[in-house]
Amino acid sequence: MSLVWRRAVCATARTCSAMAQHKTLCTARPALVKQIVCAEEGNVTVIQGRVMPSPRENRVVQTGGGTCACPLCQLHLDIKHTDVLILSQFLRSDGCLLPRRVSGVCRLQQRRVQQLVAMAQKAGLMPNLAPSSSKRDPRRRFGFKKFNKYYDESTIRDVQPFSSAMSAR
Amino acid sequence: MSSMQRAKQWATFARIWHIYDAKWQNPFDSSKTIAKYLKGQHKPIYHPLSDCGDHVVVINCRDIALPGPEWYQRVFFHHTGYPKGGATWTLAWELHEKNPTKIMERAVHRAVGGTLLRKGLMARLHLFPDEHVSEDLLRHVTSQIPQLRVQPRRLDSYSEEEVRDFPKVFDYPADHVIR
């Protein structure tokens, strides 16, 4: 059932080429990103907008093509909720998820990442990516939240991990 | 008996002290392994009436991990034996707050089975909430039971260079504001 659904989705992704941006093409001009920096000097607040090259410029994994244009579908990874180095790439500094139009992943992968990030945050594995007003130490949480938790990724029902879905093709 | 045979006899029948780190481990899965060592079922000379079990020292009982919602779904029952209100149902996290070794103790108590040997086996189990174990017990420990689950690493345990140099799945689009 889920296999038929995935094939149907990827077929639509192939046909609507306007939406599917081919990330495998490399552009001549590097992408410039912006950062807003606030600084207080005495009683003067300076809000500066900096234009700088992306911090991820030479670190992006080059993937081959595939039926789906999203980078996670092309990478064929079985991401666990403990892979914080991968999941943190989809988060802002305050722990919020980046939208799909920024990350470029497809709808199903975005849902899977959303649930994996929720698991990792509840397990207290990414305490530094949190709002500035939050308690950064998981041990200072209230009640049951201060204790260690782990999650089972097979409970995510929307998208199956690639080891089981792609091998059936 | 020659001295070599005497050494082999001692090595076979000696009571060994094992240590187990319960950090980020499920207590109910770990208790099955710990019960095996307490009974002596890991030895080829095992017999239930042979008294061939070993001691197990469990450290970091405070840092056990339960799956997802079990901290507020799993309930421990206790009855005082007295009528009218003697029964209490305590949630796992409440019990863990009051006594951090109790969940591990209950798990091993169940895993060891309901035989008459249970009291003796539980007497050979030594539980500690953190890594502080007295020297009297630690000097007997000669073996370590391997952990069942991999301990996850927190994001702040990685250095800034490791996070920066890790391969990235996507790059930010042009004119994206990093917040």
Side-chain angles (χ1 to χ4, degrees):
Chain A
M1 174 65 186
S2 59
L3 187 62
V4 170
W5 175 242
R6 274 193 55 77
R7 278 204 178 128
V9 165
C10 285
T12 54
R14 255 181 275 137
T15 49
C16 47
S17 53
M19 291 296 289
Q21 299 172 1
H22 289 279
K23 292 287 174 88
T24 48
L25 294 174
C26 49
T27 54
R29 188 177 70 91
L32 294 172
V33 294
K34 299 169 182 171
Q35 200 171 23
I36 299 168
V37 178
C38 288
E40 284 193 38
E41 297 155 18
N43 57 351
V44 176
T45 312
V46 178
I47 303 170
Q48 196 184 19
R50 281 189 205 152
V51 180
M52 56 190 200
S54 165
R56 300 179 178 184
E57 217 177 305
N58 296 319
R59 314 262 183 232
V60 183
V61 176
Q62 295 297 323
T63 55
T67 47
C68 194
C70 99
L72 284 179
C73 286
Q74 289 173 8
L75 279 171
H76 283 244
L77 292 173
D78 183 16
I79 305 176
K80 311 250 182 254
H81 73 286
T82 49
D83 296 332
V84 284
L85 286 169
I86 301 173
L87 293 175
S88 60
Q89 297 172 30
F90 293 89
L91 297 182
R92 284 203 316 240
S93 61
D94 58 356
C96 292
L97 266 180
L98 291 171
R100 258 178 66 207
R101 55 185 161 77
V102 170
S103 57
V105 296
C106 63
R107 189 177 71 82
L108 290 174
Q109 287 297 330
Q110 174 78 359
R111 275 190 76 94
R112 192 173 164 85
V113 165
Q114 189 180 327
Q115 298 197 38
L116 288 170
V117 162
M119 288 175 178
Q121 285 174 338
K122 283 180 184 166
L125 297 175
M126 297 187 291
N128 44 342
L129 296 176
S132 49
S133 58
S134 77
K135 298 175 215 175
R136 293 296 170 109
D137 189 10
R139 284 185 213 171
R140 287 182 54 207
R141 292 179 187 173
F142 179 75
F144 68 93
K145 295 174 191 173
K146 58 169 114 43
F147 299 128
N148 292 340
K149 282 172 234 70
Y150 68 91
Y151 291 88
D152 184 13
E153 290 83 19
S154 60
T155 54
I156 301 174
R157 284 182 291 180
D158 294 329
V159 193
Q160 298 302 311
F162 278 102
S163 51
S164 61
M166 299 310 273
S167 61
R169 289 194 173 199
Chain B
M1 188 190 275
S2 71
S3 57
M4 175 60 138
Q5 279 187 315
R6 185 171 51 197
K8 277 161 70 172
Q9 177 83 1
W10 286 350
T12 314
F13 293 97
R15 197 168 293 142
I16 300 183
W17 286 63
H18 306 272
I19 192 161
Y20 181 73
D21 189 358
K23 206 171 203 176
W24 281 100
Q25 306 303 304
N26 186 324
F28 302 101
D29 296 339
S30 319
S31 64
K32 290 176 193 165
T33 321
I34 293 171
K36 201 174 94 169
Y37 282 85
L38 284 174
K39 290 181 206 174
Q41 283 178 339
H42 61 293
K43 298 180 177 175
I45 51 153
Y46 167 76
H47 187 275
L49 301 175
S50 293
D51 191 19
C52 50
D54 291 341
H55 288 253
V56 177
V57 176
V58 185
I59 58 171
N60 288 324
C61 286
R62 189 174 277 136
D63 299 323
I64 50 171
L66 285 178
E70 265 195 43
W71 281 113
Y72 53 86
Q73 281 179 354
R74 193 174 268 280
V75 149
F76 291 91
F77 177 78
H78 183 260
H79 202 288
T80 57
Y82 290 94
K84 290 198 178 180
T88 45
W89 287 265
T90 318
L91 294 174
W93 70 269
E94 288 171 345
L95 183 64
H96 200 61
E97 260 189 338
K98 285 189 179 171
N99 189 344
T101 60
K102 206 72 182 167
I103 293 182
M104 199 72 208
E105 191 196 318
R106 286 281 201 115
V108 178
H109 192 262
R110 179 193 170 182
V112 142
T115 62
L116 292 169
L117 302 168
R118 179 156 62 179
K119 252 195 184 153
L121 298 177
M122 291 303 288
R124 290 197 180 138
L125 177 70
H126 313 276
L127 299 167
F128 296 93
D130 39 31
E131 285 177 354
H132 297 112
V133 185
S134 66
E135 195 51 42
D136 304 338
L137 297 176
L138 265 187
R139 67 189 177 94
H140 300 295
V141 170
T142 52
S143 158
Q144 185 172 11
I145 301 173
Q147 288 192 316
L148 299 171
R149 304 194 92 248
V150 175
Q151 287 193 36
R153 271 192 73 178
R154 268 165 56 159
L155 190 59
D156 47 2
S157 71
Y158 292 101
S159 65
E160 271 193 46
E161 289 81 26
E162 280 177 303
V163 177
R164 186 170 34 101
D165 296 338
F166 192 79
K168 300 290 183 284
V169 168
F170 66 94
D171 197 0
Y172 294 120
D175 299 330
H176 171 71
V177 180
I178 296 179
R179 281 193 271 169

